[in-house]
Amino acid sequence: MTSTAAPSWLRAVPRAVARFVRAQPLGAVALSVLTLFVLAGLLAPLVAPYDPLEQFRRDILAEPSAAFLLGTDDLGRDVLSRALHGARTSLLIGVTTTAISLVLGTAIGVVSGYAGRGIDIVLQRVMDAVQAIPGIVLLLFIAVILGPSVRNTIIALTVVITPSFNRIARGETLRVREERYVEAARATGARTGRILSLHVLPNILAPVFTLASLIFAGVIIAESALSFLGIGAPPPTPSWGLMLSDGVRYVERAPWLIVVPAVLLSLAVFSLNLLGDALRDHLDPRLQRATFTESRRWWRVRPPTRLAPSLAGADAAAEAAPDRAPTDRSRPD
């Protein structure tokens, strides 16, 4: 008879999310906004009122109305439908690029930091060579060589972003490998693979995941920039950057073509940055602040006596006689 109980790590996920929501309310708001974006992208074919490529020739550059809630573009396509499908494209590129870069950069950084010597020198010189070229120049060069497509955009962004994860993973691995529990594992004869999987990786994931949330925002901006320049997602693929590029020519006549993708892009990037800061404060115990723990309950008025009655009584006594000089009890009167 097979057991239907969920694995322990799966049962721990809701508890971890609940702790994060209680400890980081702003991070919870950002996570909710990003969840809405993800759901909108996944359910775009169901919730979009029209096909993103369908053209209404009689309603070119139509203003927002009951038929078209956010208006239409220069080809008569519904802006709301294209914005929903554009979220799908941008999030697909962002998630895929960040995931591949995280895995590659973390693997290179861990191997380089733990092995050291020759392997470290070779791997880091390759990463230094990639980082020596300005990111925007390298990104444009790769995108132009490979051509405009979603796959080539992911490849170009992955090459540029992987060294960032490598630096964080290598630095944390250099710190963790000198800890006593790693030395104890080596002394007991544990293999390198076991040490890396059980002792090194779990202790470097917090800064890596925090960096991933921040880089995710940069990936969305970079993808929009490439699409804006015409070397990202090829038309007529709906993308926020491509919508911005098409709407620039009609900014005075139809400002909604610019406002809609710009607001969505700004909101997504702001939520990702806010989530990254919250994850940093929540996952890294060195950055947790006691003052923030108390300030998150700013709506509750708590008198000092409830916090520390003894200290509150001492403060009241000191205020009652502030100018009284201390007496010397050692002398007889």
Side-chain angles (χ1 to χ4, degrees):
M1 185 175 181
T2 60
S3 176
T4 59
S8 58
W9 65 268
L10 189 59
R11 294 194 301 268
V13 171
R15 293 196 296 268
V17 173
R19 287 195 301 268
F20 175 76
V21 170
R22 289 194 301 267
Q24 305 289 341
L26 292 179
V29 174
L31 184 61
S32 302
V33 173
L34 293 175
T35 302
L36 290 177
F37 277 113
V38 172
L39 291 177
L42 294 177
L43 302 177
L46 301 178
V47 300
Y50 304 101
D51 186 277
L53 304 181
E54 184 178 0
Q55 300 179 5
F56 299 91
R57 292 295 185 177
R58 296 183 179 179
D59 298 294
I60 292 177
L61 296 179
E63 297 182 356
S65 61
F68 305 100
L69 296 180
L70 297 180
T72 61
D73 61 4
D74 57 320
L75 296 178
R77 297 171 297 190
D78 182 50
V79 173
L80 176 59
S81 301
R82 290 185 62 80
L84 292 175
H85 285 79
R88 196 176 194 180
T89 302
S90 299
L91 292 177
L92 172 63
I93 294 176
V95 170
T96 305
T97 302
T98 305
I100 296 175
S101 302
L102 187 149
V103 173
L104 289 178
T106 303
I108 295 173
V110 169
V111 172
S112 177
Y114 190 82
R117 298 182 180 179
I119 297 178
D120 184 29
I121 294 175
V122 172
L123 293 178
Q124 294 311 305
R125 294 301 78 79
V126 174
M127 294 292 103
D128 291 343
V130 175
Q131 287 190 310
I133 306 174
I136 186 64
V137 175
L138 181 61
L139 187 61
L140 293 175
F141 175 77
I142 297 176
V144 169
I145 293 298
L146 297 179
S149 70
V150 174
R151 183 192 63 184
N152 295 339
T153 301
I154 293 174
I155 295 174
L157 291 171
T158 300
V159 173
V160 175
I161 293 171
T162 298
S164 299
F165 286 102
N166 162 74
R167 294 189 64 179
I168 293 295
R170 178 179 178 271
E172 290 297 313
T173 302
L174 290 174
R175 177 185 61 83
V176 171
R177 75 174 187 178
E178 303 299 332
E179 298 290 343
R180 294 185 177 180
Y181 53 84
V182 176
E183 295 180 357
R186 290 199 206 99
T188 57
R191 296 183 177 179
T192 302
R194 181 177 179 84
I195 294 175
L196 293 179
S197 61
L198 296 182
H199 301 289
V200 176
L201 280 177
N203 289 283
I204 69 171
L205 288 182
V208 169
F209 284 151
T210 302
L211 177 65
S213 63
L214 298 176
I215 282 185
F216 191 15
V219 170
I220 294 179
I221 294 177
E223 181 274 330
S224 300
L226 291 177
S227 298
F228 182 82
L229 296 175
I231 53 178
T237 304
S239 170
W240 290 342
L242 198 57
M243 292 175 66
L244 287 172
S245 177
D246 295 337
V248 167
R249 296 171 293 176
Y250 307 96
V251 64
E252 295 183 357
R253 182 180 175 185
W256 58 86
L257 298 181
I258 293 292
V259 172
V260 172
V263 169
L264 293 176
L265 182 61
S266 301
L267 186 59
V269 172
F270 178 73
S271 300
L272 285 167
N273 288 329
L274 197 62
L275 180 61
D277 292 339
L279 285 174
R280 180 191 59 189
D281 293 338
H282 186 69
L283 296 177
D284 194 344
R286 296 171 298 178
L287 297 178
Q288 291 179 356
R289 299 183 295 271
T291 54
F292 180 77
T293 304
E294 295 297 334
S295 65
R296 72 173 187 265
R297 299 179 179 178
W298 53 270
W299 61 86
R300 298 182 183 177
V301 180
R302 296 189 293 176
T305 53
R306 292 183 59 187
L307 296 176
S310 59
L311 294 179
D315 292 341
E319 292 178 359
D323 299 331
R324 180 180 299 173
T327 59
D328 190 356
R329 297 291 184 180
S330 61
R331 299 182 187 178
D333 294 334

